[in-house]
Amino acid sequence: MQPLSGPGAPNSLDHPPNLGNVPHADDRPLSPAQRTQLEKLIVKIMALSPAKSAEIWATLRHELGADNSNELLARHFQPAEQLLQNRLTLAQQSHASRQLLQQLTDLLPQGNNRLAVSDFIRQQFGHTVLSQLNPSQLQQVLNLLQTGGLTIPHPQQTTTSDRPLLPAEHQHLQQQVTKLSAATGEVPLKIWQTLFDLVGVKTNDPLPARHFQLLSQFLQVKVALSPQSAPTLHHLLAVLKQPADRQEQQQLSDYCHTRFNSGPHTPLTHTQINDVILQLFTRRLEKTGHNHPAHSEPMQPQPLLHALIAVLPPSLQSPLSKPLVLVTLLAVLALLLIWLF
């Protein structure tokens, strides 16, 4: 049968076919390729952050204004991809910052690095909070610290005080003494006696608070070196909380060379390294002007005859300075003169 034609035939333009059941391309669900692309981005985000897949999808639907009960549509793909890419970039930056921050945190306890880093970021970035630095700034600080580009300041000296140690300060020293005793087997009482002798305080007297930092650093160094089977001067200099200045380094080097015939990298016994540590902190105490030996005797006026003793070798000066020895010697000389003449 032929289709109707002529004036009475229906006009197809007046009655278009019903297309209401054919979905628009943008209203179709995500294609497998599109969904795979979004899932790849989500996997990368999860690898760099604690976020879970369900949480990322829920956040994505919320940001797109999509119904949580329905799947994303094709028209959501491009904005969804951009949102996930932005989130991935932030996760990568955060991961890089955490890694750099961890490396810096590992270096901060060494020497006086913490104060050096704090001073640097205050001068360069206007604050002292390490966690507020971006990856580029963290990398800059880490590079300077690793290459020695930061100025390592000496710890700030607090106002000296004659007050005795506070309970918290005494407890801090007690904990370090306990650590040192456990590491070396040395009796705690003997360690305490060493501290009293170092600052020139009688055992029954309270330790002045002005010596707290020095005593704390003294114990910290001994604890840090105790695991070393063959410590060296280089090891000692590396663990100092207050780095040694050039003069101190030269003095210690000369002392080791003269006393032990050793260099910076020569293995020393624990007795020898303890001797070097004591020398260092004794000199530091002298610099503060508060070294008062506990058993020092006041200088007595010396008779004119002692001027003759001063020209003798040091090994003879001490015995001859005692009155009884001196009188005996003079009597022997007088008898010799009488016998000769």
Side-chain angles (χ1 to χ4, degrees):
M1 178 182 295
Q2 298 294 324
L4 295 174
S5 60
N11 190 343
S12 61
L13 297 178
D14 294 334
H15 301 280
N18 185 8
L19 301 177
N21 295 328
V22 180
H24 191 275
D26 286 346
D27 292 331
R28 295 173 180 172
L30 292 173
S31 68
Q34 290 173 330
R35 189 172 186 83
T36 299
Q37 177 62 20
L38 297 183
E39 288 177 344
K40 285 182 179 179
L41 292 173
I42 290 176
V43 169
K44 291 181 180 179
I45 293 171
M46 289 192 297
L48 299 175
S49 71
K52 303 299 183 183
S53 176
E55 180 268 326
I56 298 174
W57 278 113
T59 302
L60 186 61
R61 290 191 179 94
H62 175 74
E63 292 174 338
L64 293 171
D67 191 345
N68 285 337
S69 61
N70 296 324
E71 293 292 332
L72 294 181
L73 304 176
R75 59 185 170 87
H76 294 136
F77 173 70
Q78 288 187 349
E81 184 182 36
Q82 186 60 52
L83 288 171
L84 290 176
Q85 188 62 56
N86 293 342
R87 183 163 179 171
L88 176 60
T89 300
L90 292 176
Q92 290 171 335
Q93 292 176 349
S94 178
H95 180 70
S97 295
R98 288 196 302 271
Q99 287 186 317
L100 292 172
L101 193 59
Q102 183 59 52
Q103 294 181 56
L104 274 171
T105 302
D106 293 341
L107 292 175
L108 288 182
Q110 299 180 16
N112 209 24
N113 287 346
R114 189 180 301 278
L115 183 57
V117 169
S118 179
D119 288 348
F120 177 79
I121 63 176
R122 182 190 298 111
Q123 296 169 4
Q124 297 295 319
F125 310 122
H127 59 80
T128 59
V129 183
L130 203 61
S131 59
Q132 292 183 1
L133 300 183
N134 60 42
S136 176
Q137 292 169 337
L138 286 171
Q139 187 66 61
Q140 180 184 359
V141 175
L142 180 62
N143 290 341
L144 289 172
L145 197 59
Q146 291 175 331
T147 59
L150 288 182
T151 301
I152 309 295
H154 291 291
Q156 296 179 352
Q157 299 295 325
T158 56
T159 305
T160 58
S161 171
D162 290 326
R163 66 169 175 80
L165 292 175
L166 296 174
E169 294 170 333
H170 187 277
Q171 180 64 23
H172 178 77
L173 293 182
Q174 179 62 58
Q175 290 174 350
Q176 290 184 299
V177 167
T178 302
K179 287 182 181 179
L180 183 59
S181 176
T184 63
E186 192 173 3
V187 180
L189 185 61
K190 184 177 180 182
I191 299 174
W192 276 111
Q193 186 61 56
T194 301
L195 299 182
F196 280 93
D197 292 343
L198 173 62
V199 297
V201 176
K202 293 181 179 179
T203 306
N204 294 330
D205 293 339
L207 285 169
R210 63 171 176 264
H211 296 317
F212 172 70
Q213 291 294 338
L214 182 134
L215 293 177
S216 178
Q217 293 175 19
F218 175 77
L219 291 170
Q220 175 263 327
V221 169
K222 291 174 75 72
V223 170
L225 290 178
S226 60
Q228 297 283 348
S229 58
T232 66
L233 176 58
H234 176 75
H235 290 144
L236 167 59
L237 296 175
V239 300
L240 289 174
K241 186 173 183 180
Q242 176 183 338
D245 57 31
R246 292 184 179 179
Q247 182 182 12
E248 289 176 329
Q249 292 180 26
Q250 187 61 50
Q251 289 173 340
L252 292 178
S253 179
D254 292 344
Y255 183 83
C256 289
H257 179 73
T258 302
R259 188 167 179 82
F260 310 122
N261 193 28
S262 64
H265 298 279
T266 304
L268 301 173
T269 66
H270 280 283
T271 301
Q272 291 172 331
I273 199 66
N274 286 334
D275 186 13
V276 180
I277 295 172
L278 188 61
Q279 286 294 319
L280 171 63
F281 282 90
T282 298
R283 296 186 184 195
R284 287 187 172 181
L285 186 66
E286 291 173 353
K287 289 181 181 179
T288 66
H290 295 289
N291 55 319
H292 303 293
H295 306 292
S296 62
E297 298 179 356
M299 293 182 64
Q300 300 294 335
Q302 301 295 319
L304 293 178
L305 187 59
H306 282 199
L308 299 176
I309 299 176
V311 301
L312 296 175
S315 59
L316 296 178
Q317 290 182 16
S318 179
L320 294 180
S321 296
K322 298 179 181 180
L324 181 59
V325 175
L326 183 59
V327 170
T328 304
L329 178 61
L330 291 176
V332 171
L333 290 175
L335 290 174
L336 288 174
L337 290 174
I338 293 174
W339 182 76
L340 291 174
F341 295 100

